[in-house]
Amino acid sequence: MTLNRRKMLTGTALLATLSQKSKKSEAAELDIPSWTREPGAPILKKAYGAPSSFEKDVVRRTWTKMRGGQGSTLTPLASLRGIITPGGLHFERHHAGVPDIDPAQHSLVVHGLVSQPMRFSLDDLHRLPSVSRICFIECSGNTGTEWTKATRADVQSTHGLLSCSEWTGVPLSYILGETGMEADARWVLAEGADGAAMSRSIPLKKALDDVIVAYAQNGEALRPEQGYPLRLICPGYEGNMNIKWLRRLKLGQYPFYTREETSKYTDLMPDGKARQFSFTMGVKSVIVRPSGGMKLTSPGLQEINGLAWSGHGKITKVYVSTDGGKTWIAARLDGLILDKCLTRFTLPWVWNGQKAILQSKAYDEAGNFQETRQILHARYGDNLYYHNNGIQSWLVSETGDITNVFI
Amino acid sequence: MTLNRRKMLTGTALLATLSQKSKKSEAAELDIPSWTREPGAPILKKAYGAPSSFEKDVVRRTWTKMRGGQGSTLTPLASLRGIITPGGLHFERHHAGVPDIDPAQHSLVVHGLVSQPMRFSLDDLHRLPSVSRICFIECSGNTGTEWTKATRADVQSTHGLLSCSEWTGVPLSYILGETGMEADARWVLAEGADGAAMSRSIPLKKALDDVIVAYAQNGEALRPEQGYPLRLICPGYEGNMNIKWLRRLKLGQYPFYTREETSKYTDLMPDGKARQFSFTMGVKSVIVRPSGGMKLTSPGLQEINGLAWSGHGKITKVYVSTDGGKTWIAARLDGLILDKCLTRFTLPWVWNGQKAILQSKAYDEAGNFQETRQILHARYGDNLYYHNNGIQSWLVSETGDITNVFI
């Protein structure tokens, strides 16, 4: 049953001139490296593992100047696979640094227009029904620097305010069922215990839909940078609404107009008015390999590999172009395709050694699709920064060098 | 819209004697802790994150004595949520320690009954079509100590040779399509580059079905303890067949009868014969919370929470008993229910302060279900150690203390 497939071989044919069944040839094929000649490192009695030292450059990076704990770090998307972001590489966006919270002293207060104000300790929450789901979190400012021109060199810098985890906690609908709600309650204020007391108003309708009071991320307790010991998860909503170090939920009749939804996180339109409460992250995608800063070392088979996501639901299609948008080919959606979750797409590509412009364009189940940056820019003007979900373009030169270009 | 639900309250009612709308009462509810009064820790320019220091006891542990890198560590199942095991907590089973492999010097040789022997570097493999899937790995010796009596105190020790990750790599079927296969090829020898040259024979039919040559785990490169830079993933098969530090695949007509499938990893039956090639892990489940070593501090609402899995496919049902198997209630299967993957189950339970025996019993889509240890013991005799998938029992005493019991 010899398979005669298309020969897009990447491996090296071994010993083509020798019989493949010769014992001698097999020995020659299989040199014994030093690490096979003696036992490796012993295991530790109590340990929390770490990546290989050969992966030391796969880290979060930042291009912001730190002031009083204000800043962000970026996920190294080009090095990641699948849809899970390891906890150690989840992007960060802090308004007053990372508090070091003792979970035994932390609690969640639920008050305002409720029937019975209540306080929940961590132990209380662990006794309530739990749910887990995998979903992305994207900062609304992700790719903001690329609104009017191509500025940053690589995909970690252009799109790295994006990560995806399995989150576990108590449905907020269950907690509000315990406290009861007044008839005129329409909004929920969520407030963090960090020095910024980061706070946002969330529609009660959303709160009762799919919001989770989360205490775990990728199986373990939340990481400190992700809100340990409690974080609100608002699937599909802009990152800052997923309030970290959650300490308070207050029900009210109207939005609370916190500073984060008046002076910040609004979108200035061409007519001078600001779009407010732009909660849901639009449909978006990006090719992460090959991408800016990489170099193709030889013509031949490559895998074009990227991520697509939408705050409106599931991804339905991703198209890829290698000629700057003139022609498009449907990519394969790999593995799980989940609601408000990163979806991996792949496409085999034989690079012919010529100039190419790589693009991807995602579609979601709500009928949304990605547009070019030029179209979005023409529609929304110069001032937009948040919610840039335009198509990303990577230029592959004849030398194989890849750069970020604005199209 | 006040919801008057069953009041299985775990939280604390706040200020019942004051008006809930009083400003004064709200201030009293919300003391300002020290970590809200000043900025937290700044973020780092280049960083790989770590868990909170308050989680320092959530680590892998071992009860084996280390000899020449031989041993295992256990995943802290009682502390984990959802289905993903973080890389730092994935269980370990090594036969010669953890080699420190330079990926630039590592390659995979595919030879034997192939049309064209080939060598694949990591770069080669990264250019081939990739797939990701979430699946469990369980050591065939998991729970072996519990075959004839209850020996270990907690679920980390009884069931901790079990973890679940998102794995990414190249389908082995694709690689064998590149090398071609001879007509009489039926088995694949997989060999690791560790000092034990750990090796197992895998049916070619399985190899062409769903086996992956994996280079990534939970989004990032494989962890050193999990086979960095290459590992074979054989979904549903016993852990040791998921060969780590993979360096060689050889196709042959017959099994290779390595020491791991002759002197080890066989199952001695009552008639003195040994069951060989018992690849597939049976359907199994365990309650992880509450579980051995924990203490219930007060009667009232608890969440019974556990994991179910099967090497034969998807989990279809899990039943829970709180009276040692006299009566059973269907648990809720939470979140994703995937092929050959951990599945989380939950059931609310009001503990009345009396003695209880907690058990779970899983069913899979192939029609298999878990039996009691007594039944399995009677069927297979005293000598079995591997492939114990019997029902686990936890005894809750009237004081709330929980112990491991054999039923």
Side-chain angles (χ1 to χ4, degrees):
Chain A
M1 89 176 171
T2 302
L3 295 182
N4 284 310
R5 294 165 55 122
R6 70 203 176 286
K7 286 290 175 192
M8 301 201 295
L9 302 182
T10 60
T12 309
L14 281 173
L15 301 168
T17 58
L18 293 175
S19 158
Q20 69 182 72
K21 286 168 192 165
S22 148
K23 288 276 176 197
K24 191 178 270 181
S25 74
E26 286 184 13
E29 288 163 15
L30 291 160
D31 55 311
I32 308 296
S34 60
W35 44 73
T36 307
R37 295 180 187 277
E38 55 189 29
I43 58 184
L44 300 171
K45 286 277 178 189
K46 292 186 186 181
Y48 192 96
S52 165
S53 59
F54 292 100
E55 301 293 319
K56 67 182 189 307
D57 291 332
V58 180
V59 290
R60 299 188 289 223
R61 292 172 195 273
T62 183
W63 38 261
T64 57
K65 286 187 182 143
M66 304 296 114
R67 301 183 204 89
Q70 141 81 21
S72 60
T73 65
L74 301 142
T75 291
L77 297 177
S79 301
L80 298 190
R81 316 281 172 167
I83 60 172
I84 295 291
T85 308
L89 296 174
H90 195 294
F91 86 87
E92 302 170 271
R93 173 73 181 97
H94 308 309
H95 297 74
V98 180
D100 186 26
I101 299 182
D102 179 353
Q105 295 183 50
H106 187 77
S107 61
L108 171 65
V109 165
V110 185
H111 66 155
L113 297 181
V114 296
S115 311
Q116 174 61 64
M118 291 182 76
R119 181 189 299 275
F120 296 88
S121 69
L122 265 289
D123 284 344
D124 292 335
L125 293 170
H126 289 162
R127 292 167 71 165
L128 295 179
S130 63
V131 293
S132 298
R133 71 171 291 170
I134 305 176
C135 61
F136 76 85
I137 296 182
E138 183 184 18
C139 178
S140 57
N142 197 30
T143 331
T145 58
E146 311 303 303
W147 180 244
T148 55
K149 60 184 183 200
T151 62
R152 302 203 182 274
D154 59 36
V155 71
Q156 182 169 14
S157 302
T158 58
H159 288 74
L161 294 169
L162 169 72
S163 301
C164 186
S165 300
E166 184 187 35
W167 304 98
T168 302
V170 183
L172 181 48
S173 60
Y174 188 94
I175 291 171
L176 295 178
E178 294 294 294
T179 62
M181 293 165 275
E182 298 293 322
D184 51 352
R186 292 289 180 278
W187 289 80
V188 182
L189 175 75
E191 182 188 67
D194 56 327
M198 182 74 193
S199 48
R200 286 298 308 261
S201 305
I202 296 153
L204 184 60
K205 188 176 173 190
K206 173 72 174 177
L208 294 174
D209 176 14
D210 60 1
V211 173
I212 299 172
V213 173
Y215 45 71
Q217 170 190 6
N218 292 341
E220 63 189 348
L222 293 175
R223 291 300 181 89
E225 317 89 79
Q226 301 308 324
Y228 183 86
L230 279 184
R231 176 179 205 168
L232 204 66
I233 296 294
C234 303
Y237 272 24
E238 58 184 21
N240 68 79
M241 303 189 66
N242 297 265
I243 295 291
K244 296 185 284 191
W245 313 293
L246 182 70
R247 81 185 202 108
R248 178 161 79 113
L249 294 167
K250 183 177 184 178
L251 272 62
Q253 194 170 358
Y254 305 105
F256 291 79
Y257 296 106
T258 72
R259 68 179 181 275
E260 309 298 343
E261 51 208 28
T262 49
S263 70
K264 271 186 76 76
Y265 297 121
T266 62
D267 312 317
L268 187 56
M269 295 289 109
D271 63 1
K273 293 188 178 176
R275 187 170 64 174
Q276 204 174 22
F277 302 128
S278 44
F279 299 138
T280 304
M281 299 306 294
V283 62
K284 193 165 169 180
S285 69
V286 64
I287 293 169
V288 299
R289 267 187 322 278
S291 62
M294 292 183 182
K295 185 180 172 75
L296 301 184
T297 52
S298 63
L301 181 66
Q302 301 287 336
E303 184 184 57
I304 292 178
N305 187 301
L307 293 166
W309 63 99
S310 170
H312 297 281
K314 292 182 185 179
I315 292 296
T316 52
K317 293 183 289 202
V318 178
Y319 288 108
V320 166
S321 176
T322 59
D323 57 12
K326 292 194 202 89
T327 59
W328 296 90
I329 302 171
R332 179 178 64 97
L333 303 186
D334 175 51
L336 298 171
I337 302 170
L338 302 176
D339 181 46
K340 301 163 189 163
C341 186
L342 294 191
T343 298
R344 181 67 63 170
F345 65 87
T346 73
L347 186 71
W349 174 50
V350 178
W351 181 48
N352 61 8
Q354 302 298 304
K355 178 181 152 179
I357 295 177
L358 308 183
Q359 297 181 327
S360 63
K361 180 164 64 167
Y363 292 70
D364 71 23
E365 63 181 349
N368 306 293
F369 62 95
Q370 260 184 294
E371 300 193 271
T372 66
R373 287 181 184 165
Q374 285 187 326
I375 289 173
L376 292 177
H377 192 198
R379 186 181 305 157
Y380 295 116
D382 286 345
N383 295 318
L384 204 72
Y385 183 86
Y386 301 117
H387 293 279
N388 175 9
N389 68 330
I391 289 171
Q392 170 69 39
S393 304
W394 304 115
L395 171 65
V396 182
S397 76
E398 292 173 356
T399 61
D401 293 287
I402 305 176
T403 50
N404 179 11
V405 291
F406 186 91
I407 287 180
Chain B
M1 76 180 177
T2 302
L3 295 183
N4 284 311
R5 294 163 55 119
R6 69 202 176 286
K7 287 291 174 192
M8 301 201 295
L9 300 180
T10 61
T12 309
L14 281 172
L15 300 168
T17 58
L18 293 175
S19 158
Q20 69 181 74
K21 284 167 191 164
S22 146
K23 289 277 177 200
K24 189 179 270 180
S25 76
E26 287 184 11
E29 290 163 14
L30 290 160
D31 55 310
I32 307 297
S34 60
W35 43 74
T36 307
R37 295 181 187 276
E38 53 189 31
I43 58 183
L44 300 171
K45 286 279 179 188
K46 291 185 186 180
Y48 192 96
S52 164
S53 59
F54 292 100
E55 301 293 319
K56 66 181 189 310
D57 291 333
V58 181
V59 291
R60 300 188 288 224
R61 293 173 194 272
T62 182
W63 38 261
T64 58
K65 285 187 183 142
M66 305 295 114
R67 300 182 204 91
Q70 142 82 19
S72 60
T73 65
L74 301 142
T75 292
L77 296 176
S79 302
L80 298 190
R81 315 280 173 168
I83 61 172
I84 295 291
T85 308
L89 295 174
H90 195 294
F91 86 88
E92 302 170 89
R93 172 72 182 95
H94 309 309
H95 298 73
V98 180
D100 186 28
I101 299 182
D102 178 353
Q105 294 182 50
H106 187 77
S107 61
L108 171 65
V109 165
V110 185
H111 68 153
L113 296 181
V114 297
S115 310
Q116 174 59 66
M118 292 183 75
R119 180 189 298 277
F120 295 87
S121 69
L122 266 288
D123 283 346
D124 293 335
L125 293 171
H126 289 161
R127 292 166 71 164
L128 295 179
S130 64
V131 293
S132 297
R133 70 172 288 169
I134 305 176
C135 60
F136 75 85
I137 296 182
E138 182 184 20
C139 179
S140 56
N142 197 29
T143 330
T145 59
E146 309 304 301
W147 181 243
T148 55
K149 60 183 183 204
T151 62
R152 303 202 182 276
D154 60 36
V155 71
Q156 181 169 13
S157 302
T158 58
H159 288 74
L161 294 169
L162 169 73
S163 300
C164 186
S165 300
E166 184 187 35
W167 304 98
T168 302
V170 183
L172 181 48
S173 61
Y174 188 93
I175 290 171
L176 294 178
E178 295 294 294
T179 63
M181 291 165 275
E182 297 293 322
D184 51 353
R186 292 288 181 278
W187 289 81
V188 182
L189 175 74
E191 183 188 67
D194 56 327
M198 181 74 192
S199 48
R200 286 298 309 262
S201 305
I202 295 152
L204 183 59
K205 187 176 173 189
K206 174 73 174 176
L208 294 174
D209 176 14
D210 60 1
V211 173
I212 299 172
V213 173
Y215 45 72
Q217 170 189 7
N218 292 342
E220 64 189 347
L222 294 176
R223 291 299 181 89
E225 316 89 79
Q226 300 308 324
Y228 182 86
L230 278 184
R231 177 179 204 168
L232 204 65
I233 295 293
C234 302
Y237 272 24
E238 56 184 22
N240 67 79
M241 303 190 66
N242 297 264
I243 296 289
K244 297 185 282 191
W245 314 292
L246 181 70
R247 81 186 203 109
R248 178 159 80 112
L249 294 168
K250 182 176 183 177
L251 272 61
Q253 194 169 356
Y254 305 105
F256 292 79
Y257 297 105
T258 71
R259 68 178 180 276
E260 310 298 342
E261 52 208 27
T262 49
S263 69
K264 271 185 73 77
Y265 297 122
T266 61
D267 313 317
L268 188 55
M269 295 288 109
D271 63 1
K273 293 187 179 177
R275 188 170 64 176
Q276 204 174 21
F277 302 130
S278 45
F279 299 138
T280 304
M281 298 306 294
V283 62
K284 194 165 170 180
S285 69
V286 65
I287 293 169
V288 300
R289 266 188 324 278
S291 61
M294 293 182 180
K295 185 181 172 73
L296 302 184
T297 53
S298 63
L301 181 65
Q302 300 287 336
E303 184 184 56
I304 291 178
N305 187 300
L307 293 166
W309 63 99
S310 170
H312 296 283
K314 292 182 185 178
I315 292 296
T316 52
K317 292 183 290 204
V318 177
Y319 288 108
V320 166
S321 176
T322 59
D323 56 12
K326 292 193 201 90
T327 60
W328 297 90
I329 303 171
R332 179 177 64 95
L333 303 186
D334 175 52
L336 298 170
I337 301 169
L338 302 176
D339 181 45
K340 300 162 190 166
C341 186
L342 293 191
T343 298
R344 181 68 64 172
F345 65 87
T346 73
L347 184 71
W349 174 50
V350 179
W351 181 48
N352 60 8
Q354 301 299 303
K355 179 181 151 180
I357 294 178
L358 308 182
Q359 297 181 326
S360 63
K361 180 165 63 170
Y363 292 70
D364 71 23
E365 63 181 349
N368 306 293
F369 62 95
Q370 259 184 296
E371 301 192 269
T372 65
R373 288 182 183 163
Q374 285 187 324
I375 289 174
L376 292 176
H377 193 199
R379 186 180 305 155
Y380 295 116
D382 285 346
N383 295 317
L384 204 74
Y385 183 86
Y386 302 117
H387 293 278
N388 175 8
N389 69 329
I391 290 172
Q392 170 69 40
S393 305
W394 303 116
L395 171 65
V396 182
S397 75
E398 292 173 356
T399 60
D401 293 287
I402 304 175
T403 50
N404 180 11
V405 290
F406 186 90
I407 286 179

